[in-house]
Amino acid sequence: MCGTEYADGFIPDPTDVGVIAFKQNDSLSLAFSEAPSRCEITVLRGDTVVHSGEDLSLLSEKLSYAADTPLTCRIDAEWLQTDGVPYYGKASYTASLLYDIPATYSVVDARLSPGEFTILQFYNLNDDQPVTLVSDLSLPSTKVHTVGSKKFVFMPIDVSSVPGKYTIRVVAGNEESSFSFTVGNKSFSDRQINTRHGNGTYDSAKTEWDNLIKNLSDQSAAERLWDDDRNGTYKFSNPISSAKVGTPSFGDNVIADTNLKGSTPYRTAYLTLEAAEGKEVGATASGKVVFAGENGYAGKAVVLDHGCGVLSIYSNLSSVSVSVGDSVTIGSTVGLTGKTGYMFNSGVKFAMTMEGVYINPASNYNYGIQVS
């Protein structure tokens, strides 16, 4: 309200409404509690004026951008002094707009077998736009990761997944699409473990270890910590290049195990790398140490966080060479091979998880994880 006591005019306190997103051909409008006598609307892309006039109704129709584009809307309004109206003056408002292109995605790394994974890369996905993958296939909670300007989602395929064709619904905010995905028929061996190892009471220790790995996965760093770029593909290395791959191996179906009273049958989630005691075990990729200690099932062990929901796990060690919080580079020693955990031969049990799902670590030696 203006008058002798409001000589500076009618300027209400500004309210931050955040970023207003709109798509091409969306109808935009502007409303006031009291209609102004004059109103000038200016929309800018950086310092360039892309729209000016008295309303916003034609804005979305006249713009056409190939990618999400931030805009600034400036509103200059004036209320003229007239008889019987207790307000007049000028006011300016500024709002942030986003010309919003619908989110799309492509499959950039498809490994179509149990124990492998797929990467979906998203384009024009807003920072506040959640993504959910819905399928009859068992999938972990969907997390959107950002590396540089790229946004992507990991879709690890559990080793126990039933082969067949699945439809994956991709829900990005209010947008929904789908694609077909075939899980290949990969064969794994059936195993029986009849040799008693230690005192044969590993159930509670295994549960404790599984819960620890899940918690560490949930707390994985948001940024990518592996930085060993080889022509755009980030390959991981074998912790013991000369080690023999023993049994059971990754994905083997253990139908009986005398050491685990309540935990069979189960799928083997690790590679058995056999080697003489005291041999150096190297980090499969750069990362950060998030566990260095001992567990009744795993023995002496180290867990590395590589960021973006990816962990590597080294157990059955004779000694640990790192501490929680340490940063490691690819190949740097994290411990020595041993026979301290649930393993019949000396060496290391080597595992990797992605979003909490165990994946075959050996496949990353050749293919890497392409998110650069």
Side-chain angles (χ1 to χ4, degrees):
M1 299 179 67
C2 298
T4 56
E5 65 271 60
Y6 297 107
D8 291 334
F10 173 53
I11 305 179
D13 292 335
T15 300
D16 184 5
V17 296
V19 178
I20 302 168
F22 68 97
K23 295 179 175 59
Q24 191 174 38
N25 298 325
D26 277 356
S27 178
L28 297 178
S29 62
L30 178 67
F32 295 88
S33 57
E34 298 291 345
S37 306
R38 287 194 285 266
C39 180
E40 179 66 25
I41 300 171
T42 305
V43 179
L44 302 99
R45 181 188 183 189
D47 296 327
T48 303
V49 175
V50 297
H51 174 81
S52 62
E54 296 184 354
D55 61 59
L56 285 168
S57 61
L58 299 178
L59 175 65
S60 65
E61 296 179 11
K62 68 189 294 186
L63 299 180
S64 180
Y65 299 118
D68 288 351
T69 304
L71 304 168
T72 301
C73 181
R74 189 179 67 233
I75 303 159
D76 297 303
E78 181 179 9
W79 291 260
L80 299 178
Q81 185 177 12
T82 57
D83 292 340
V85 178
Y87 52 82
Y88 66 92
K90 297 180 180 180
S92 294
Y93 310 87
T94 301
S96 296
L97 305 179
L98 177 69
Y99 183 89
D100 191 16
I101 301 295
T104 58
Y105 58 88
S106 63
V107 180
V108 297
D109 194 349
R111 307 181 190 180
L112 310 180
S113 300
E116 305 294 342
F117 61 87
T118 292
I119 299 176
L120 302 184
Q121 182 176 332
F122 282 81
Y123 310 90
N124 300 306
L125 183 71
N126 301 338
D127 290 338
D128 60 349
Q129 197 169 10
V131 173
T132 304
L133 303 183
V134 182
S135 175
D136 291 337
L137 186 67
S138 177
L139 298 174
S141 298
T142 310
K143 295 181 181 178
V144 178
H145 302 289
T146 302
V147 173
S149 61
K150 295 186 177 181
K151 296 180 186 293
F152 63 93
V153 166
F154 284 133
M155 197 176 87
I157 310 303
D158 189 89
V159 69
S160 61
S161 297
V162 177
K165 188 173 182 179
Y166 296 86
T167 297
I168 312 295
R169 287 175 46 224
V170 182
V171 182
N174 295 323
E175 301 159 10
E176 183 174 328
S177 59
S178 63
F179 69 97
S180 294
F181 183 92
T182 300
V183 176
N185 188 9
K186 186 175 182 179
S187 61
F188 296 97
S189 300
D190 287 340
R191 302 285 181 187
Q192 292 192 50
I193 298 176
N194 300 314
T195 304
R196 185 172 292 277
H197 183 80
N199 58 15
T201 56
Y202 285 91
D203 293 80
S204 61
K206 184 177 186 300
T207 298
E208 179 186 74
W209 181 248
D210 290 342
N211 289 338
L212 171 67
I213 298 303
K214 181 182 183 305
N215 290 335
L216 292 176
S217 178
D218 291 341
Q219 299 165 21
S220 177
E223 67 274 17
R224 173 181 55 79
L225 300 181
W226 71 91
D227 59 1
D228 313 295
D229 186 9
R230 306 179 194 180
N231 300 318
T233 299
Y234 294 81
K235 295 184 179 179
F236 291 43
S237 67
N238 189 332
I240 313 174
S241 58
S242 60
K244 173 187 174 183
V245 178
T247 57
S249 192
F250 179 83
D252 283 355
N253 183 31
V254 179
I255 58 177
D257 187 341
T258 59
N259 302 280
L260 294 167
K261 294 181 171 56
S263 302
T264 51
Y266 63 87
R267 291 280 191 173
T268 306
Y270 53 83
L271 284 179
T272 300
L273 302 179
E274 297 179 1
E277 290 192 50
K279 195 170 182 63
E280 291 186 349
V281 178
T284 189
S286 52
K288 185 176 181 179
V289 180
V290 290
F291 178 84
E294 193 164 3
N295 165 270
Y297 171 76
K300 294 180 180 179
V302 170
V303 180
L304 302 181
D305 178 19
H306 304 288
C308 297
V310 179
L311 303 181
S312 61
I313 304 157
Y314 315 77
S315 59
N316 199 59
L317 304 174
S318 62
S319 64
V320 170
S321 308
V322 291
S323 301
V324 172
D326 288 351
S327 293
V328 299
T329 57
I330 186 170
S332 61
T333 301
V334 298
L336 301 179
T337 56
K339 195 176 179 182
T340 59
Y342 178 58
M343 182 167 164
F344 301 103
N345 299 305
S346 61
V348 61
K349 287 188 351 186
F350 176 48
M352 290 188 68
T353 65
M354 177 179 281
E355 309 293 21
V357 176
Y358 284 91
I359 59 173
N360 184 1
S363 69
N364 287 328
Y365 304 161
N366 298 321
Y367 302 110
I369 300 179
Q370 303 177 45
V371 298
S372 61

